[in-house]
Amino acid sequence: MGSDPTREPPFFFQKPTDAIQFVAPGSVADHPYPTLTKNYHYEVELVAALKSGGRDIPAEKALEHVYGYAVGLDMTRRDLQRGMGDQKKPWEIGKSFDHSAPIGPIHPVEKVGHFTKGAISLAVNGTVKQDATLEHMIWSVAEQIAQLSAAFELMPGDIIYSGTPENVGPVVRGDVLLCKIAGLPDLSVRIV
């Protein structure tokens, strides 16, 4: 999104619990196009779910707190996010709304291991739009847990959407999104 892709400090935002939209494997879930926007964007992300929390967790111990992983989408009302950013105001209206966080099932680390590398991609109507590998993400899940735990007490059950590859973009009603992370079931939604 035009930022310097070097390792400047990461930033975080929160979504409310009702942002979660569970998507069962093998299904194409109807995903409602939200109100108030004319520029609705996708961002495929690896999601980490915590089994334990704490404060000031060192990066080298952070993965010990992960219960499991899932494929997720961080959906954004980009026009509203940018409008708030231009006014130096919070992003919540652009990021934190009903169903803005589709997620597949969480798979325990004991069964799937930790995801530090592997392909991550998103296609819209069969055309690949995002295509990268997890090892090329600027901040690893372990580093994000360490950073977050310096600012907040993390709790069991917290979920962390860990950032997206380049090439986020818009969708319209009728579009079908297919999200893939190697080693996890695909996640698919239809914008309705």
Side-chain angles (χ1 to χ4, degrees), residues 63-164:
L63 295 183
E64 296 171 14
H65 295 270
V66 176
Y67 166 76
Y69 295 93
V71 178
L73 271 168
D74 171 16
M75 299 300 290
T76 304
R77 298 189 281 199
R78 191 72 71 205
D79 46 355
L80 301 181
Q81 178 197 23
R82 286 185 176 145
M84 289 284 113
D86 291 346
Q87 297 175 50
K88 308 280 191 258
K89 293 181 180 175
W91 286 4
E92 276 81 6
I93 197 164
K95 285 285 195 181
S96 304
F97 53 92
D98 297 347
H99 310 293
S100 63
I103 187 172
I106 298 167
H107 295 270
V109 167
E110 295 82 33
K111 293 184 179 179
V112 297
H114 288 288
F115 288 81
T116 57
K117 55 186 173 180
I120 179 172
S121 66
L122 179 142
V124 178
N125 302 325
T127 301
V128 175
K129 301 289 188 175
Q130 293 186 281
D131 189 17
T133 59
L134 294 172
E135 61 263 40
H136 289 113
M137 300 300 287
I138 296 170
W139 293 95
S140 70
V141 169
E143 291 168 324
Q144 290 180 46
I145 290 169
Q147 290 277 341
L148 281 165
S149 71
F152 308 100
E153 181 178 4
L154 298 179
M155 303 297 286
D158 283 348
I159 59 173
I160 300 168
Y161 279 60
S162 65
T164 196

Side-chain angles (χ1 to χ4, degrees), residues 169-191:
V171 290
V172 297
R173 286 175 184 85
D175 284 347
V176 175
L177 285 66
L178 177 61
C179 304
K180 295 177 175 276
I181 295 177
L184 291 171
D186 298 345
L187 180 149
S188 187
V189 298
R190 176 184 296 104
I191 308 300

